[in-house]
Amino acid sequence: MHLFKSIYEKIVVNEVQLQKIRELAATRKGPIVFCPTHRSYVDFLILSVVLLFYKIDVPHICAGEDLMHIKGVSAFLRMCGAFFMRRTFKGDPMYKAIFTEYVTQLVKDKTVMEFFVEGTRSRSNKFLSPKFGILQIMTNTYFDRQVDEISFVPVNINYTRTLEDTSFPGELTGNPKVKESLGRILGALETLRMSYGSLYLDFHDPIHISEQVKIVAKEQGPDFDPWKNKKDRMFFNNRLGYNLLFFLQSHHKIMPTHLVASIVLLYRKGISEETLLK
C-alpha cells in the first residue's frame, strides 16, 4: 500500500459496496469471482491490496503465462495468489485436463478468485471481446452440480495514467509487443518516482449464476437445459461473458485523460492550451 501511495495522489474505493462483499464472503454458498477491467499490470496487485486492507480474503488470480517465465517475478506473484494460464490449450490435452481440474477444485472449495474477462490488457482503453475458457470451467462446475452458487463481482479499475503509458502508443501504431523481462521491470522502477494521478476501484453488486440461469431460461423457453445440453451451456457461457463485459463498459468512469484525448482528436491541426481548458 505504501508503494501505491507514493505513485498515486489518491486511491478511491466504495466502502459501502465493500461491506456488502464482506457480508457475502461470510455467508457464501460458493466461490466469489472478481472480474476486473484490465488496463495495467497494476490490476494484478491493487485489487488484492485493497481487499487485504479491508479484511476480505485475497483472491487466487488467473494470470497470463507471459509473467510466468520471469524469474523472481513469477515467484512473487505466486506468493500474492497468482496461478498461470497458457494462451491456448491446443495440442496439449494433459495440460488442459490438469488446469481444468485445478480451477474446478478452487471453485468447489468456495475460494475467492479473480480473472480478467478481456483476457489481456487493453492498449487503447477500449473494451476487448470476452474470453470464455476459464469462465466455462467455472460454470461447468455449477451445471455439474459440484457447487450451489457462483457469485461474479464486476470491478472497474480506472487510472488517470497507467504505468505502461509510454509503451502502449508504440504497440498501437504497429510495433511488436515488448517482451517482459526482469531487466525491463527493474528499469521501470525509475518511473515509480513519478505521479500517476488518481486510481478508482468501483465494486458492483454480485451477479449470481443461479439468477442468471433463471433469466436466460425464461427468455429461451422450457427446452433450455444447460444441465444436460452442452449447446445450452455454451450459449449461457457466452451470454454471461458478454453480460459481464457490457456491465463493466456501462459503469466505466470517464477520467480527465479520456476527456483531453477526445478533445485533442477534434483538433487535428493542434489546439491552444487556453482553448483546451475552456
Side-chain angles (χ1 to χ4, degrees):
M1 183 60 81
H2 293 295
L3 173 63
F4 291 124
K5 283 182 177 180
S6 68
I7 62 176
Y8 295 111
E9 295 175 5
K10 59 181 178 180
I11 299 173
V12 182
V13 299
N14 187 330
E15 294 185 334
V16 174
Q17 199 65 29
L18 279 173
Q19 178 58 34
K20 294 180 181 179
I21 294 172
R22 185 186 290 114
E23 294 171 358
L24 173 65
T27 60
R28 64 182 184 268
K29 299 178 181 179
I32 297 175
V33 185
F34 289 98
C35 303
T37 51
H38 199 12
R39 300 293 177 270
S40 170
Y41 280 138
V42 174
D43 300 335
F44 285 104
L45 300 178
I46 188 62
L47 182 57
S48 296
V49 169
V50 168
L51 292 175
L52 179 65
F53 185 82
Y54 284 93
K55 296 180 174 57
I56 300 173
D57 291 348
V58 174
H60 294 267
I61 309 166
C62 182
E65 65 177 340
D66 295 352
L67 299 173
M68 180 176 64
H69 303 298
I70 306 176
K71 293 183 179 179
V73 175
S74 60
F76 172 74
L77 290 176
R78 287 183 193 277
M79 288 188 288
C80 294
F83 62 95
F84 300 96
M85 178 183 183
R86 292 181 185 175
R87 296 296 179 189
T88 179
F89 294 163
K90 290 182 180 179
D92 196 341
M94 179 65 76
Y95 176 84
K96 179 180 179 180
I98 293 173
F99 183 86
T100 299
E101 187 60 33
Y102 179 75
V103 174
T104 299
Q105 190 60 50
L106 289 177
V107 175
K108 290 165 63 177
D109 289 342
K110 303 179 183 179
T111 57
V112 177
M113 303 173 66
E114 173 188 343
F115 85 102
F116 300 99
V117 182
E118 298 168 272
T120 188
R121 293 172 297 163
S122 171
R123 271 68 174 169
S124 64
N125 205 46
K126 293 181 179 179
F127 281 82
L128 306 176
S129 298
K131 300 297 184 291
F132 303 104
I134 191 168
L135 187 63
Q136 183 177 4
I137 296 173
M138 293 178 182
T139 56
N140 278 345
T141 61
Y142 177 78
F143 293 125
D144 290 337
R145 304 186 189 280
Q146 295 175 301
V147 65
D148 295 329
E149 184 66 274
I150 303 176
S151 302
F152 298 93
V153 180
V155 184
N156 282 96
I157 306 178
N158 293 280
Y159 303 87
T160 302
R161 290 179 60 190
T162 61
L163 289 177
E164 300 92 335
D165 62 0
T166 56
S167 64
F168 282 171
E171 294 181 28
L172 288 170
T173 54
N175 294 337
K177 178 183 175 182
V178 180
K179 186 176 181 180
E180 302 301 337
S181 65
L182 182 58
R184 175 173 159 77
I185 292 174
L186 292 176
L189 292 178
E190 187 70 22
T191 65
L192 298 182
R193 300 178 182 179
M194 301 170 61
S195 173
Y196 285 85
S198 303
L199 191 159
Y200 290 81
L201 279 89
D202 293 314
F203 295 85
H204 306 291
D205 288 334
I207 298 174
H208 303 292
I209 190 172
S210 60
E211 296 175 359
Q212 290 297 304
V213 171
K214 292 178 182 178
I215 293 172
V216 176
K218 186 177 181 180
E219 295 174 355
Q220 297 300 308
D223 293 333
F224 180 76
D225 188 0
W227 281 271
K228 297 179 181 179
N229 191 318
K230 289 186 177 181
K231 288 185 178 180
D232 287 343
R233 284 193 188 191
M234 186 176 296
F235 176 86
F236 176 82
N237 197 55
N238 290 358
R239 175 74 173 271
L240 177 61
Y242 278 107
N243 280 350
L244 286 168
L245 192 69
F246 290 152
F247 188 92
L248 290 169
Q249 186 171 349
S250 63
H251 290 80
H252 205 52
K253 269 187 170 57
I254 298 177
M255 303 296 285
T257 40
H258 303 161
L259 290 173
V260 171
S262 298
I263 294 170
V264 169
L265 285 171
L266 295 174
Y267 293 81
R268 297 288 182 164
K269 295 182 180 180
I271 181 175
S272 67
E273 183 179 357
E274 180 182 2
T275 304
L276 176 63
L277 290 173
K278 286 182 181 179

